């Protein structure tokens, strides 16, 4: 019986270590999903929320896209898809994502800086093809 | 004609329900004739699913775009090859395909056991038919591939470009083969619970099925990594994406099961644990299939969101969990262990730790994957956790496992003595320290990479020593040459030595993973004629010169191709091309990367952006600015080599033939010709 409990103690240590790693790992990699409206409300209510990673789904404002192909500096504005109210500038450094264009829905990941610009580490274009087409879509 | 496929589905569904009822009732009442009917229902369902699948393929090949499914995943320009794979390109078809594979395995299992294990078979057939009925029900009521639209479009919408890749033909089927094959040991476990025969019989009789399932699942996951590596163009092979994670979950519990059954076979321990592991493995296979299809969690791979299917799957999963738990509880007294753990320093303890690691990894992966749903459910705020979370937990677990891999197979059963430990681990520990020292001196400072190589070489040495000892002993006793002794050693103990080979492959894969600590990445924009340099951690430098950009029209897309000269330390060695493909049908763009593979590293070239694509396509811009992402990825080739070694090792263990108890009869057969030779001469003379 003593051997069993010695093994259990070892097992508990292992589980404890895994738990510790999991909790600290969570803190470092949490990403909050927001719409632009929600992010604006959150930051107004609690300025420290800027520090958290955020994943924001919005629509690229037509006419706002500036891209420098040499330096790969991409700047554009996103607007809340549903309300059309909140809009803020996004800055990203990297190649234009495939199928990125004005009026598209995008998901940007990053942090909202003090300046009010969203510093994105990733820009993903939402791809319509993953959704199943309605019958009408086949009439072309 | 195609509608025959739908009729076949209905008949199969009804037969599956009927057979299931007969199987369970026949087992309870001891009616052999009912059980026989249930078994025939399994064969019939398989036949009907063949008809149905053939009808779907025929609809694809025959361009029958009145079918919603065909119109959604094909078009006239699609090659015949991808029309055939259309069977599993989309949600509805892939569910039929799942059913087809399961029915195939179920038929084989029923046929194998037509004379043996008769006390198990009523419930085995019943359980298999239950799962089949479920999938057929989902197809018929929520996701019918034979659904006609009220008009027939002239052409379909084509296939998602990322699926137009040769891996498409082999990655999903391999994964499905793995998922479905786990249903067989699951069915035997359920049958053992229902019939109360909870000795090791259900395990030994499904040993090969478990290995087969593991073989397919492992390869399916590795093929998925290869696909992501060449097709997604992100420069990696694993992203902790929900769907990738989903396939990893049953792999983790399945691998734990593969090991823990050995404890039950040898020592009569862990009986309930083994039942729980195989139940979980099957449940997680269903869960993985569900997660891919529900669209509940955002993923690059998921099919379209479908709420009906989500509810049906959740209902079925809930039912399976409750039913399994109830069965285990009902039989709780039958699991008494025949032995107890005698020492913490023993093979049993090593196996238990192995199981603990796999199950802990499974829970953390599950937690991280489901976290967006969990957080939304409890706080209303959707939060996801990214790769840092998964890496933080799983890298240390993997390293622990890597060391355990060297200890487990060599340490003594029951209780290892100090002498046993010193004798077995002196040499491996010496080699490991030497490898660590050499790496340190050559400048390797990354902790994870160092640990991987130190622990990996420790484990590798124990494996080599095992082969060496076994071969030497055999060569001496049997008087064979070294090579013959080596081959015969493997032949006689396939499971053991096949297992060692799998372990060796696993170590090599981990060494490949460790290379990622030294990935180098650069991103530049260039005009034709301009160059960039990137240094490899192995000390040499690549110089890439962007030569030209050209556009080619192809059947269903326009390819824009950049060609890049590659020089290594000033010597021109290769030309790489990287492409952007604009697909006509779906208004989509995909990237094709250029990879130069060497024995120790990959040079990975991504055409990330083109300044004036339209100018290139029209031919008006001969010198477009292009953005390249270039990566040097050390040791990546070894991941694929390790994967291949693992597959070979599994096949060795899996290959039909000598069971461990039969060497005596085999020897007689082998030696017979020697005796017979002189006799034959006499007869001729």
């Amino acid at each position: 019986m003593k051997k069993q409990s010695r093994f259990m103690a070892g097992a508990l240590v292992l589980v404890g270590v895994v738990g510790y790693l999991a909790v600290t790992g969570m803190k470092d990699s949490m990403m909050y999903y927001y719409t632009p409206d929600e992010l604006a409300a959150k930051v107004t209510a609690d300025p420290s929320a800027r520090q958290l990673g955020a994943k924001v789904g919005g629509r690229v404002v037509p006419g706002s896209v500036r891209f420098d192909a040499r330096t790969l500096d991409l700047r554009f504005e996103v607007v809340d898809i549903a309300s059309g109210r909140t809009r803020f500038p996004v800055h990203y450094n990297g190649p234009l994502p495939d199928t990125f264009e004005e009026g598209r829905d995008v998901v940007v990941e990053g942090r909202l800086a003090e300046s009010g610009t969203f510093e994105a580490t990733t820009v993903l274009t939402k791809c319509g093809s993953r959704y199943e087409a309605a019958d009408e879509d086949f009439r072309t | 004609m195609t509608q025959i496929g739908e009729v076949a589905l209905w008949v199969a569904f009804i037969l599956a329900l009927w057979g299931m009822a007969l199987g369970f009732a026949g087992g309870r009442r001891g009616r052999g004739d009912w059980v026989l009917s249930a078994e025939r229902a399994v064969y019939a369902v398989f036949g009907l699913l063949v008809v149905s699948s053939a009808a779907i393929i025929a609809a694809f090949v025959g361009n029958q775009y009145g079918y919603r499914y065909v119109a959604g995943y094909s078009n006239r320009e699609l090659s015949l090859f991808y029309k055939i794979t259309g069977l599993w390109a989309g949600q509805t078809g892939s569910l039929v395909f799942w059913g087809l594979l399961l029915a195939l395995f179920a038929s084989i299992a029923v046929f194998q056991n037509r004379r043996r294990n008769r006390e198990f078979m009523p419930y085995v057939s019943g359980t298999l038919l239950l799962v089949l009925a479920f999938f057929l029900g989902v197809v018929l009521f929520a996701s019918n591939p034979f659904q006609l639209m009220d008009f027939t479009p002239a052409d379909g919408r084509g296939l998602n470009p990322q699926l137009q890749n040769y891996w498409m033909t082999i990655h999903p089927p391999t994964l499905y083969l793995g998922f479905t094959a786990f249903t067989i040991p699951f069915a035997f476990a359920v049958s053992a619970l229902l019939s109360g025969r909870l000795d090791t019989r259900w395990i030994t009789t499904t040993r090969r099925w478990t290995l087969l399932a593991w073989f397919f699942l492992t390869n399916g996951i590795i093929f998925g990594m290869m696909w992501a590596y060449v097709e997604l163009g992100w420069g990696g092979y694993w992203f902790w994406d929900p769907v990738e994670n989903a396939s990893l979950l049953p792999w983790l519990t399945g691998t734990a099961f593969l090991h823990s059954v050995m404890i039950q076979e040898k020592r009569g321990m862990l009986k309930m644990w083994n039942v729980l592991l195989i139940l979980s493995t099957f449940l997680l296979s269903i869960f993985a299939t569900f997660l891919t299809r529900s669209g509940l969690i955002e993923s690059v791979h998921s099919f379209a969101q479908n709420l009906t299917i989500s509810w049906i799957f959740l209902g079925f999963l809930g039912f399976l969990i409750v039913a399994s738990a109830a069965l285990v509880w009902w039989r709780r007294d039958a699991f008494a262990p025949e032995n107890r753990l005698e020492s913490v320093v023993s093979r049993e303890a090593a196996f238990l730790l192995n199981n603990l690691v796999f199950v802990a990894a499974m829970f953390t992966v599950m937690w991280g994957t489901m976290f967006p749903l969990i957080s939304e459910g409890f706080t209303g705020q959707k939060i996801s956790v990214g790769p840092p979370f998964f890496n933080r937990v799983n890298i240390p677990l993997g390293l622990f496992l890597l060391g355990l891999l060297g200890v487990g197979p060599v340490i003594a059963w029951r209780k290892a003595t100090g002498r046993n430990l010193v004798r077995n681990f002196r040499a491996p520990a010496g080699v490991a320290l030497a490898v660590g020292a050499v790496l340190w001196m050559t400048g390797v400072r990354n902790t994870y990479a160092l640990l991987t190589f130190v622990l990996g070489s420790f484990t590798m040495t124990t494996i080599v020593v095992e082969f060496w000892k076994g071969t030497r002993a055999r060569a001496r006793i049997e008087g064979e040459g070294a090579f013959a002794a080596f081959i015969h050693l493997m032949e006689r103990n396939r499971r053991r030595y096949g297992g060692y080979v799998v372990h060796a492959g696993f170590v090599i894969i981990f060494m490949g993973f460790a290379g990622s600590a030294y990935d180098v990445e650069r991103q530049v924009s260039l005009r034709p004629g301009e160059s960039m340099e990137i240094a490899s951690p192995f000390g040499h430098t690549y110089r890439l010169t962007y030569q030209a950009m050209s556009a080619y029209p192809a059947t269903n897309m326009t390819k824009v191709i950049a060609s890049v000269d590659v020089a290594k330390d000033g010597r021109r060695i290769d030309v790489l091309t990287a492409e952007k493909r604009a697909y006509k049908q779906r208004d989509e763009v995909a990237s094709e990367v250029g990879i130069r593979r060497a024995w120790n590293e990959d040079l990975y070239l991504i055409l990330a952006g083109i300044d004036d694509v339209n100018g290139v396509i029209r031919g008006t811009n001969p010198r477009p600015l292009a953005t390249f992402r270039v990566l040097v990825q050390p040791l990546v080739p070894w991941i694929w080599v390790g994967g291949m070694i693992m597959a070979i090792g599994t096949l060795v263990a899996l290959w039909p033939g000598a069971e461990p108890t039969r060497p005596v009869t085999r020897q007689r057969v082998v030696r017979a010709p020697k005796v017979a030779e002189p006799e034959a001469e006499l007869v001729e003379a």
Side-chain angles (χ1 to χ4, degrees):
Chain A
M1 211 52 223
K2 208 174 119 231
K3 310 289 179 198
Q4 314 271 338
S5 47
R6 207 185 290 173
F7 182 83
M8 286 311 284
L12 277 177
V13 170
L14 188 92
V15 171
V17 170
V18 170
Y20 170 77
L21 291 171
V23 170
T24 53
M26 295 275 295
K27 279 192 184 142
D28 288 358
S29 76
M30 280 212 248
M31 277 278 178
Y32 289 77
Y33 288 71
Y34 292 119
T35 63
D37 280 358
E38 287 168 356
L39 180 64
K42 183 93 183 167
V43 171
T44 323
D46 172 18
S48 72
R50 285 178 193 277
Q51 299 307 315
L52 301 171
K55 234 178 188 173
V56 183
R59 183 162 294 155
V60 179
V61 178
S64 72
V65 179
R66 305 276 175 277
F67 180 63
D68 183 331
R70 250 310 169 181
T71 61
L72 303 176
D73 235 31
L74 172 65
R75 289 176 188 277
F76 60 96
E77 289 186 6
V78 287
V79 64
D80 197 284
I81 300 168
S83 73
R85 218 169 28 232
T86 312
R87 59 152 75 185
F88 51 77
V90 176
H91 172 236
Y92 170 71
N93 190 264
L96 272 184
D98 291 341
T99 69
F100 180 90
E101 59 192 13
E102 301 184 332
R104 270 254 187 187
D105 292 351
V106 292
V107 177
V108 293
E109 284 179 29
R111 280 171 170 74
L112 189 63
E114 293 292 337
S115 61
T117 300
F118 192 89
E119 292 292 336
T121 52
T122 330
V123 176
L124 295 167
T125 44
K126 274 201 181 166
C127 169
S129 70
R130 303 224 188 281
Y131 302 92
E132 236 166 58
D135 282 5
E136 285 312 302
D137 296 346
F138 293 103
R139 285 189 209 271
T140 36
Chain B
M1 266 312 280
T2 309
Q3 230 45 46
I4 277 188
E6 188 171 14
V7 176
L9 284 180
W10 276 107
V11 178
F13 179 61
I14 293 162
L15 272 179
L17 285 176
W18 175 239
M20 172 188 79
L22 278 179
F24 286 121
R28 274 270 148 260
R29 301 255 182 97
R31 290 282 300 264
D33 51 338
W34 290 3
V35 175
L36 215 57
S37 289
E39 291 178 334
R40 289 195 185 122
V42 173
Y43 299 136
V45 168
F46 172 59
L48 290 161
L49 275 164
V50 169
V51 171
S52 190
S53 305
I56 295 175
I57 291 174
F60 268 98
V61 174
N63 294 319
Q64 301 186 30
Y65 297 114
Y67 292 100
R68 213 164 173 286
Y69 180 60
V70 178
Y73 292 92
S74 176
N75 61 8
R76 289 181 189 278
E77 283 173 339
L78 195 68
S79 66
L80 179 65
F81 195 60
Y82 292 117
K83 280 180 177 164
I84 292 170
T85 64
L87 176 60
W88 59 80
Q91 164 140 289
T92 56
S94 73
L95 287 169
V96 174
F97 187 57
W98 216 104
L100 175 72
L101 296 178
L102 177 56
L104 169 68
F105 284 148
S107 301
I108 294 172
V110 167
F111 183 75
Q112 276 181 330
N113 291 291
R114 64 197 180 283
R115 280 189 266 285
R116 332 176 259 164
N117 294 320
R118 293 312 297 170
E119 69 280 24
F120 282 137
M121 291 320 286
Y123 306 118
V124 169
S125 317
T127 310
L128 292 170
L129 286 165
L130 168 74
V131 181
L132 280 168
F134 167 72
F135 274 93
L136 287 163
V138 172
V139 169
L140 284 169
F141 296 107
S143 183
N144 190 337
F146 297 102
Q147 192 192 343
L148 280 163
M149 295 186 286
D150 54 9
F151 61 100
T152 301
D155 201 355
R157 282 169 24 106
L159 185 66
N160 182 334
Q162 280 171 346
L163 299 183
Q164 297 187 33
N165 179 292
Y166 53 95
W167 288 113
M168 168 60 193
T169 52
I170 87 168
H171 162 64
T174 315
L175 213 51
Y176 291 170
L177 283 166
F179 287 156
T180 46
F182 270 121
T183 317
I184 308 295
F186 164 78
F188 272 89
V190 169
S191 179
L193 286 167
L194 279 169
S195 64
R197 274 207 58 180
L198 283 160
D199 51 284
T200 47
R201 184 79 203 134
W202 72 270
I203 288 175
T204 49
T205 207
T206 58
R207 197 152 64 192
R208 285 223 163 75
W209 279 106
T210 311
L211 269 175
L212 188 76
W214 192 85
F215 172 77
F216 284 125
L217 193 53
T218 307
N219 283 300
I221 292 172
I222 291 174
F223 290 159
M225 287 162 67
M226 290 175 159
W227 186 1
Y229 191 66
V230 301
E231 187 60 32
L232 292 181
W234 298 342
Y237 39 80
W238 190 266
F239 307 98
W240 295 109
D241 176 89
V243 168
E244 290 170 349
N245 294 349
S247 66
L248 190 62
L249 297 174
W251 185 86
L252 290 168
T253 52
T255 311
F257 177 73
L258 219 52
H259 291 92
S260 69
V261 291
M262 291 183 221
I263 304 270
Q264 183 170 342
E265 285 175 32
K266 290 270 197 278
R267 307 275 296 137
M269 295 156 69
L270 300 181
K271 289 181 183 172
M272 189 196 279
W273 179 246
N274 286 328
V275 169
L276 289 175
L277 275 181
I278 194 62
L279 294 180
S280 326
T281 304
F282 173 72
L283 284 168
L284 289 170
S285 298
I286 298 282
F287 179 71
T289 314
F290 155 70
L291 204 65
T292 323
R293 278 161 185 79
S294 66
L296 268 187
I297 294 186
E298 276 177 50
S299 153
V300 287
H301 309 63
S302 54
F303 291 97
Q305 190 151 8
N306 185 326
L307 277 178
T308 328
I309 287 198
S310 299
W311 286 116
I312 301 178
F313 262 96
L314 278 180
F316 186 58
L317 272 173
F319 162 75
L320 286 176
I321 291 170
V322 171
S324 310
L327 275 179
V328 172
W329 178 252
W330 179 47
R331 292 289 184 196
R332 65 191 176 282
D333 295 331
F335 296 114
E338 289 151 35
N339 288 292
R340 293 210 159 260
L341 190 63
E342 290 178 34
S343 166
V344 188
V345 191
S346 65
R347 193 175 297 184
E348 290 92 320
F351 272 71
L352 284 174
L353 275 178
N354 146 310
N355 268 238
L356 203 61
V357 169
F358 277 112
V359 173
M362 187 276 284
F363 275 113
T364 49
V365 173
M366 175 107 127
W367 172 257
T369 309
M370 301 302 291
F371 197 70
L373 280 188
I374 299 169
S375 69
E376 198 176 17
F378 283 95
T379 65
Q381 170 67 57
K382 200 163 157 192
I383 306 170
S384 71
V385 289
F389 164 77
F390 295 103
N391 287 332
R392 173 92 51 103
V393 183
N394 287 299
I395 292 176
L397 280 177
L399 287 170
F400 184 69
L401 199 61
L402 211 53
L404 203 57
L405 214 59
V407 177
V410 184
I411 196 170
W413 286 103
R414 301 177 65 175
K415 185 171 180 3
T417 59
R419 268 181 58 202
N420 166 280
L421 293 179
V422 171
R423 201 180 54 227
N424 283 327
F425 297 119
R426 200 171 38 199
V431 171
L433 287 178
V435 166
V438 168
L439 286 176
W440 180 269
M441 282 187 291
T442 50
V444 177
R445 289 293 184 276
N446 182 283
T447 318
Y448 284 152
L450 273 174
L451 277 173
T452 307
F453 277 89
V454 168
L455 294 169
S457 51
F458 170 79
T459 297
M460 208 53 130
T461 314
T462 60
I463 295 170
V464 171
V465 167
E466 277 294 287
F467 271 105
W468 164 249
K469 276 188 193 162
T471 305
R472 202 184 46 184
R474 202 183 152 85
R476 208 167 37 215
I477 295 162
E478 303 279 327
E480 291 173 329
F483 183 72
F486 175 77
I487 295 296
H488 289 147
L489 180 77
M490 296 257 280
E491 225 174 31
R492 294 291 154 80
N493 305 284
R494 291 196 175 139
R495 202 172 166 208
R496 177 166 167 201
Y497 289 98
Y500 288 157
V501 174
V502 173
H503 285 180
F506 190 78
V507 169
I508 292 171
I509 287 183
F510 264 71
M511 291 179 171
F513 288 161
S516 68
Y518 290 91
D519 281 0
V520 184
E521 180 178 346
R522 279 201 65 198
Q523 188 166 285
V524 285
S525 294
L526 302 172
R527 292 255 178 225
E530 294 178 334
S531 320
M532 60 89 69
E533 285 193 342
I534 188 163
S536 155
F538 287 103
H540 48 263
T541 305
Y542 292 105
R543 187 180 175 82
L544 285 83
T545 311
Y546 167 31
Q547 294 293 347
M549 184 83 74
S550 40
Y552 301 94
T555 32
N556 55 351
M557 63 182 128
T558 304
K559 296 180 179 182
V560 180
I561 305 177
S563 51
V564 174
D565 259 18
V566 181
K568 184 177 161 186
D569 289 336
R571 203 167 51 84
R572 190 164 169 273
I573 50 167
D574 207 348
V575 179
L576 280 180
T577 58
E579 307 174 12
K580 285 269 185 211
R581 295 176 168 181
Y583 287 78
K584 284 182 209 162
Q585 284 293 322
R586 288 178 159 241
D587 184 28
E588 270 183 25
V589 180
S591 300
E592 285 286 307
V593 298
I595 305 175
R596 181 186 156 79
R597 298 174 196 264
W599 69 273
N600 56 351
E601 68 186 9
D602 281 359
L603 178 66
Y604 193 101
L605 176 73
I606 306 162
L607 177 56
I610 308 161
D611 189 30
D612 176 20
V613 171
N614 294 325
V616 176
I617 292 173
R618 280 195 305 268
T620 54
N621 187 348
R623 288 175 48 78
L625 191 66
T627 307
F628 296 99
R629 254 184 81 205
V630 185
L631 291 95
V632 176
Q633 310 210 75
L635 304 184
V636 163
W638 290 95
I639 299 174
W640 319 131
V641 171
M644 243 180 291
I645 293 175
M646 270 173 99
I648 292 168
T650 322
L651 284 177
V652 168
L654 192 59
W655 210 253
E659 292 285 325
T661 48
R662 263 191 263 155
V664 182
T665 48
R666 268 188 70 87
Q667 272 177 5
R668 207 179 298 141
V669 174
V670 171
R671 284 182 184 166
K674 280 186 190 161
V675 184
E677 270 165 17
E679 284 174 20
E681 277 172 16
L682 281 177
V683 172
E684 270 175 14

